[in-house]
Amino acid sequence: MLSARYYDGRTAVPHTVQLRVCGSVLFLQGDNLERRDALAALSIPAPLGSAPRTILFADGGRCEVEDIQGFAALFPAGPGSNQLEGRWLYAITALVLAAGLAVAAYWWGLPYLARLVADRIPDAVLTDMDGYWLGNLDDSVLGASVLDGARRQAIEQRVADLILPAGAVRPQLVFRGSERLEPNAFALPGGSVVILDGLVEMADEDEIVAVLAHESGHVSQRHALRQLLQASLVGLIVAWYVGDSSSLLAVVPSALLQTRYSRDLERSADEFAIEVMRLNHIPPGRLADLLLKLQARQAQDEAGFVRRLDSVLDYLSSHPASEERIALLRSQSR
C-alpha cells in the first residue's frame, strides 16, 4: 500500500488515500472513497527531479505521491509513462524541437498576435496614448515649433488634400521644434505624426508629403503599436513566468524607447508611400531625394551632434535611409 493525495478533478479538496496494484488494476481507497482503474487507462507523467509523482485519471482525477521510491516499486514498468525518457538522443531531439517551436513563436506567432490585438484597440485609447507620449517628449526633447504660420498651413492643406488608398488613415500632424534632435518625422503609437522644424526647413513640399506618406503607412498599419505590443507581450510572458508584475510595468516605457521598425515594416511603409505618391502625381523618387539629404546631413554632423544624441536617435530614427530603399524608390519613378 502506498499513501497518496487524491483530487477528484471537480474540487481542490485533497483526500488521503491508499494505493495498491493487483494484476493490471490500480485500487484506490480512502474515507468514503474507492475506485479501481485499469493501468492501461492511467497516464503517469515523467519524473521531474524530487517532485511528487503524479497519476492522472481519465475522468480528470489525479493522485500525488510523495514517496518516490515507493511509487517506483508500485509501478516498476511505469504504466503509461514515457519509455523514451532515458534515451539521450530522443531527449536532445525533443530539446531541439522545443527550441525551434520557441523561435517560430517569437518570429511568426508573436507578430501575428500583436497585429491581431493592435487592430482591435479602440481609436479613443490610441488618442490617449498619443497624448501621454507626446507630453513625455515635450518634457524631454521637443519644443514649440517656430515655423512660419503660412508654411504650416500650406503643409496641412497638402496633407488634407491628399488622395489616400481605401482604408488608409490620414495622419494628424504635430509640428514641433527641437534643439537636440536631427531633422525627422515619426509616427506615435496612436497614429499622430510629429514633424520637426528641421525637416521642414531642409525639404520642399513634395519631399515633405513623401515622408508624411511613408509615416502614414506606419500609422495606417499600426506598425508602432504592433512593435510596442510585441515587446509588451514578451514582458507579460516573463512576468507570468517569474511571478513579478513589476517587470511587466517596467517593459512598457523601455519598449517604446527602443522601438525600431523591422525591415519588412519599413518596406511595407515605403510601398504605401509609393502608392500615395502615384495617386497624387508625385514621383516616388522625391522620397529618395529627402533620404539622401538626411544621409548627407548625418554625415556632416557625424563627429558631433548626432554622436552625442545617439541613444535618443535610436528611437526616433526608426527608418534609416538605405541604398536598398533609395534604389526601390528610384526604380518606381521610371
Side-chain angles (χ1 to χ4, degrees):
M1 301 288 282
L2 184 65
S3 294
R5 287 190 302 276
Y6 173 72
Y7 300 87
D8 61 12
R10 297 184 294 275
T11 70
V13 178
H15 302 274
T16 299
V17 297
Q18 299 293 318
L19 304 177
R20 66 184 175 87
V21 171
C22 184
S24 61
V25 177
L26 172 70
F27 291 87
L28 180 152
Q29 291 180 310
D31 291 340
N32 301 319
L33 182 64
E34 182 175 338
R35 67 181 294 169
R36 60 181 65 187
D37 296 83
L39 294 180
L42 304 177
S43 176
I44 299 181
L48 294 174
S50 60
R53 297 300 305 272
T54 304
I55 303 171
L56 303 178
F57 297 90
D59 61 0
R62 59 182 285 151
C63 264
E64 294 180 355
V65 180
E66 299 281 354
D67 184 355
I68 296 177
Q69 291 184 346
F71 185 93
L74 188 65
F75 299 106
S81 62
N82 188 352
Q83 301 299 315
L84 303 178
E85 65 190 34
R87 301 183 182 183
W88 64 269
L89 182 59
Y90 292 114
I92 292 176
T93 302
L95 184 62
V96 171
L97 289 174
L101 287 174
V103 171
Y106 180 80
W107 284 108
W108 293 292
L110 197 55
Y112 174 78
L113 185 58
R115 181 170 187 171
L116 205 63
V117 174
D119 290 344
R120 286 161 175 74
I121 294 180
D123 291 341
V125 175
L126 300 181
T127 300
D128 290 343
M129 291 175 64
D130 273 10
Y132 173 77
W133 281 101
L134 186 60
N136 275 267
L137 291 170
D138 283 340
D139 291 339
S140 54
V141 296
L142 299 181
S145 172
V146 295
L147 283 179
D148 177 74
R151 185 79 193 279
R152 290 177 53 169
Q153 290 178 3
I155 295 170
E156 289 171 337
Q157 191 59 53
R158 284 291 302 272
V159 172
D161 293 340
L162 277 179
I163 300 172
L164 297 176
V169 177
R170 194 173 301 278
Q172 299 298 313
L173 300 186
V174 178
F175 291 91
R176 287 291 187 273
S178 178
E179 296 181 353
R180 299 182 57 192
L181 303 180
E182 64 176 329
N184 211 334
F186 53 93
L188 296 178
S192 299
V193 174
V194 178
I195 180 167
L196 301 183
D197 289 356
L199 183 69
V200 176
E201 291 165 354
M202 68 184 296
D204 62 33
E205 285 196 12
D206 277 353
E207 291 170 339
I208 293 172
V209 169
V211 76
L212 291 177
H214 173 90
E215 294 303 326
S216 182
H218 287 311
V219 170
S220 297
Q221 298 168 66
R222 299 194 171 188
H223 288 167
L225 185 60
R226 286 161 56 184
Q227 294 286 92
L228 172 62
L229 287 171
Q230 283 183 227
S232 299
L233 286 172
V234 172
L236 178 63
I237 293 171
V238 172
W240 167 79
Y241 184 76
V242 303
D244 180 10
S245 60
S246 62
S247 60
L248 174 61
L249 297 177
V251 74
V252 174
S254 62
L256 275 176
L257 292 175
Q258 295 172 14
T259 292
R260 295 178 71 92
Y261 294 123
S262 69
R263 182 179 292 270
D264 287 342
L265 296 187
E266 285 299 341
R267 187 179 294 114
S268 175
D270 278 345
E271 291 170 352
F272 181 93
I274 290 170
E275 183 177 1
V276 171
M277 286 185 281
R278 281 179 169 167
L279 287 172
N280 293 274
H281 309 292
I282 301 172
R286 299 313 312 275
L287 180 55
D289 294 341
L290 183 58
L291 294 177
L292 288 172
K293 286 183 179 179
L294 290 171
Q295 279 188 329
R297 171 67 178 262
Q298 288 180 345
Q300 183 180 359
D301 295 338
E302 185 70 27
F305 183 80
V306 173
R307 182 172 299 174
R308 289 197 303 274
L309 297 176
D310 189 53
S311 60
V312 177
L313 295 179
D314 277 347
Y315 164 54
L316 298 180
S317 58
S318 56
H319 40 274
S322 69
E323 296 305 324
E324 176 188 339
R325 293 181 61 201
I326 292 173
L328 171 65
L329 293 164
R330 293 286 191 216
S331 68
Q332 298 301 312
S333 295
R334 296 169 187 163

